[in-house]
Amino acid sequence: MNDIGGWVWWLVGAVALGIPLVVTAMPEFGMLAVGAVAAAGTAGIGGDLVLQVVVFAVVSVALIAVVRPIANRHRSQRPQLATGVDALKGKQAVVLERVDGSGGGRIKLAGEIWSARALDTDRAYEPGQEVDVVEIEGATAIVI
C-alpha cells in the first residue's frame, strides 16, 4: 500500500478549513486554508515536516496580519454608491405645480412625478423653475 504524501494531507486540511469559511463567513479560515495550500506546495517539492509547518504558519499569519485590517477598513466605510431615496438627495428637479411651504406642489425628479414642499416656508417656486432636493420625507421631496 502506498503512503499518502504529506501534500495530500495539507490539501485535505485546506478543504477542511474551507468548510467553516463558507458556513461562518469568517475570512480567517480562508487565510488559514491558503496557508495549508502553501504548506502542501512545500511538501510537494520535498520540504520536510518542520518546513511545511513553518510555511503554513508564516503564510497564515502574514495573510491575517495584512488582509484582515484592509478588510475591516473596507467593511467600516460607507458605501460609495447611494441608492433609493438617498440617491435623490442633492438632485435637481423641475417644478410642475407651484411648490410652497404648505406642500401640495409637484416636481419632476429623476423622470418621476413627486409631491414637493419648500424647505423655507416663506418661499414659493413656480412651474418651470429648477429646484434642488435636500430631503425626502415619505413620498414628499423637500426642495430649495
Side-chain angles (χ1 to χ4, degrees):
M1 186 164 132
N2 293 337
D3 287 332
I4 296 178
W7 64 273
V8 173
W9 290 112
W10 282 110
L11 289 180
V12 169
V15 171
L17 287 166
I19 293 169
L21 166 67
V22 173
V23 173
T24 65
M26 289 181 60
E28 292 82 1
F29 285 113
M31 296 173 209
L32 292 172
V34 171
V37 170
T42 303
I45 61 172
D48 66 346
L49 182 61
V50 173
L51 182 60
Q52 295 169 31
V53 172
V54 168
V55 167
F56 169 75
V58 168
V59 170
S60 299
V61 169
L63 283 173
I64 291 172
V66 172
V67 175
R68 192 170 177 212
I70 294 170
N72 285 339
R73 196 169 36 244
H74 283 284
R75 194 176 326 161
S76 67
Q77 290 177 346
R78 269 191 74 172
Q80 298 296 325
L81 179 63
T83 59
V85 294
D86 289 332
L88 299 174
K89 295 177 187 175
K91 297 280 185 185
Q92 285 193 332
V94 176
V95 176
L96 300 177
E97 296 175 9
R98 180 182 162 93
V99 175
D100 56 26
S102 65
R106 300 256 184 251
I107 60 171
K108 187 165 190 174
L109 171 63
E112 298 178 346
I113 309 282
W114 283 75
S115 60
R117 176 171 56 83
L119 179 65
D120 182 0
T121 56
D122 297 332
R123 287 283 315 250
Y125 303 97
E126 300 301 326
Q129 280 187 282
E130 287 191 356
V131 293
D132 292 321
V133 176
V134 294
E135 187 66 50
I136 303 286
E137 291 180 357
T140 302
I142 311 303
V143 299
I144 55 172

